[in-house]
Amino acid sequence: MTSQYVTFGLVPAMRAGGVLADGAYQAHRDFLDFAVDGSPLLARLADLDAVSPLALDLGPSDFAEQVRTLLPEAETPLEGSRRVIYGCPECAGRACGEPVCGGRAGGGLACGGYACGAVTAVIERDGPDVVWRDFGRQTGRAPDAERDGYHDIGPYRFRGEEYRAALERLLPADGALAPDLPAGPRALLIGPRAALLARLAAALRRIGISAEITLDAVHAHADELRKYGVVVFGRTIGPDERDAVLNALAAARSEAVCVTVLAPIVPLLVAQVEQALDRTPDHRRRLLRLTAVAGDAEAEVEVASACRVRLVAHRLDRLSRPRTRALFDAVLAPGTHRIPLETRAVRGRSFLTAHTSEAVLVAPVAR
C-alpha cells in the first residue's frame, strides 16, 4: 500500500444538463468533486458521466448522510468496506428506471448506489491516515476487480486530520447545509411570456434549473437579482431595455452572465444557459475551444485532457422549423481535433454545440 501522502479537498463541479438530439432531457447537477493533490478526481475518468454523492440539490439531512458515508467508520451496504465515489447523475429526485435504485435521493446513492453503475473504492483507516484504494466500476454488491477495476487510479493516502476537516466543515451543528456552499442554478428570462421563452423556461425547469420570466427586471430588488447566475434577453428586447437591465444588474453587484438568444431553438438556448452557468476556472477546464466553418465542412474541438465529446448541429429550415442533429460522439485525446461535418446539417444559419459531461460550448457555423 502507498506510503506517499496526497492532499484531499472538495471543489465545486457541474454536470451539464441539456435537451438531447432525440428530445430526451439530461439533468443539470451541481455537486462537490474530490480534489486529489488539487486536481478533480472525476477528470481522470475520461468518459464517465457521473456525480459524487455530495450533490448540492439534496436536502440537508440527505446531504449530511452522504457526507458521513465517506468517513471510514461509517457503515456501508457494499462488501469489503467499499463506498460509492461516483454514481448516476439522473437519479436524485428523478426516476432512473432501475428497479434497485428507483430514483431515490442521493444521485442514485441512497439505495446503495450501484443499480445504474457506480464507481466505488475501499475507504479505510490506516493508523491516523485515511486510504482510498481498489477503485472499480460496479453494478452489484461486489465488483470484478480484474474486469472492472481502475488500475491506473490510486491508492491514495490522506492525512486523517485534513480529510476529516474537509468533510466535517460541511456539517454545521444545527444540521443545515454549510452556508458557503453554492446555491442552486437560477436563470432570469427577460421578455414577454411568448411561446419561445415559455418553452425555454419549461425545458430549464425540467433539467433542474430554476427559471423565471419577467418584463421588468429593472425594478427588482438587488438581493433578488443577485440570486441569478444567468440572464437571458429575449429576441424582442431592444438596446435601451437591455442597457437598463445591465445597469440594474451592475447596481445590484450581480455576477450573472448575460446571454442573447441566438436562434429560436430550445436545445440551443439551453446549451447557451449551461455555458453561461459554468464557472469552472480555466486551469480546470477540459473542453477549451469550438469553432466551425461551413465551407471547410469541419469543426475544430480542443480539449485539455481525454474526455468524451458530443457534437450537435442546430439550424432553422426554410419553413423556420428547428432542426437538431447529432454529428459526433467519441472520446478525444488531449489536443486539437478536426471533425468532419455533414454539409446538410449546417446549411444556412446554423450553430454547433459541443458537450462533455461537465461543460457545453456553443459556436456559430461561419460561412
Side-chain angles (χ1 to χ4, degrees):
M1 185 178 295
T2 180
S3 60
Q4 183 176 358
Y5 285 104
V6 293
T7 63
F8 178 85
L10 298 165
V11 293
M14 181 182 85
R15 190 269 192 152
V19 183
L20 305 183
D22 62 1
Y25 290 86
Q26 177 173 286
H28 175 105
R29 304 295 306 281
D30 290 300
F31 63 100
L32 297 179
D33 195 7
F34 310 111
V36 177
D37 269 350
S39 298
L41 182 60
L42 186 57
R44 306 184 190 190
L45 307 172
D47 62 345
L48 186 66
D49 182 15
V51 298
S52 82
L54 306 181
L56 298 179
D57 53 353
L58 296 178
S61 61
D62 288 332
F63 185 86
E65 180 182 352
Q66 296 301 336
V67 171
R68 294 188 183 100
T69 64
L70 297 169
L71 297 171
E73 60 270 17
E75 294 184 2
T76 172
L78 305 182
E79 295 181 5
S81 298
R82 302 192 72 85
R83 317 297 170 106
V84 172
I85 304 302
Y86 296 109
C88 171
E90 295 290 339
C91 294
R94 306 169 180 88
C96 68
E98 292 291 344
V100 177
C101 178
R104 294 177 60 188
L109 309 180
C111 59
Y114 47 79
C116 305
V119 175
T120 65
V122 174
I123 298 180
E124 62 185 6
R125 285 181 293 186
D126 185 16
D129 303 331
V130 176
V131 174
W132 285 21
R133 61 175 175 84
D134 299 341
F135 290 78
R137 178 95 171 163
Q138 71 182 91
T139 55
R141 293 196 175 275
D144 184 320
E146 187 62 31
R147 182 191 64 195
D148 301 322
Y150 287 101
H151 304 293
D152 58 341
I153 296 180
Y156 300 125
R157 178 178 293 273
F158 307 111
R159 290 180 171 84
E161 184 177 347
E162 175 189 71
Y163 181 87
R164 292 178 182 278
L167 292 173
E168 290 174 355
R169 75 170 183 83
L170 304 176
L171 300 172
D174 60 4
L177 292 180
D180 57 342
L181 291 179
R186 295 183 65 183
L188 181 62
L189 316 184
I190 311 293
R193 293 181 178 273
L196 179 63
L197 289 189
R199 292 200 307 271
L200 174 59
L204 291 173
R205 292 168 188 151
R206 180 76 179 268
I207 67 173
I209 297 174
S210 298
E212 289 84 37
I213 305 173
T214 185
L215 269 174
D216 186 19
V218 173
H219 297 101
H221 194 278
D223 290 343
E224 183 65 20
L225 289 178
R226 283 194 291 270
K227 294 179 181 178
Y228 294 99
V230 58
V231 173
V232 179
F233 291 100
R235 305 179 78 199
T236 63
I237 301 300
D240 292 342
E241 293 173 280
R242 180 186 174 93
D243 289 344
V245 173
L246 292 176
N247 289 336
L249 292 170
R253 297 182 181 177
S254 166
E255 297 182 355
V257 176
C258 294
V259 170
T260 300
V261 167
L262 289 175
I265 305 172
V266 171
L268 175 66
L269 300 182
V270 171
Q272 286 187 260
V273 170
E274 285 287 1
Q275 180 175 335
L277 286 171
D278 189 356
R279 302 294 198 270
T280 305
D282 289 345
H283 69 277
R284 280 181 25 214
R285 292 182 183 270
R286 290 198 283 178
L287 183 58
L288 301 178
R289 185 172 59 89
L290 170 67
T291 59
V293 179
D296 296 338
E298 67 178 15
E300 278 196 4
V301 179
E302 183 180 358
V303 296
S305 61
C307 58
R308 179 183 175 188
V309 177
R310 294 183 291 112
L311 285 186
V312 180
H314 307 270
R315 68 181 180 89
L316 296 175
D317 66 14
R318 293 180 180 178
L319 298 179
S320 296
R321 295 172 300 191
R323 299 297 185 191
T324 298
R325 186 177 182 85
L327 301 178
F328 177 85
D329 187 346
V331 175
L332 297 180
T336 300
H337 303 265
R338 296 178 181 272
I339 300 172
L341 299 177
E342 298 178 21
T343 303
R344 64 178 181 173
V346 292
R347 287 181 296 184
R349 187 164 179 255
S350 55
F351 304 86
L352 281 189
T353 54
H355 305 252
T356 66
S357 61
E358 77 276 12
V360 180
L361 289 183
V362 178
V365 179
R367 310 317 299 176

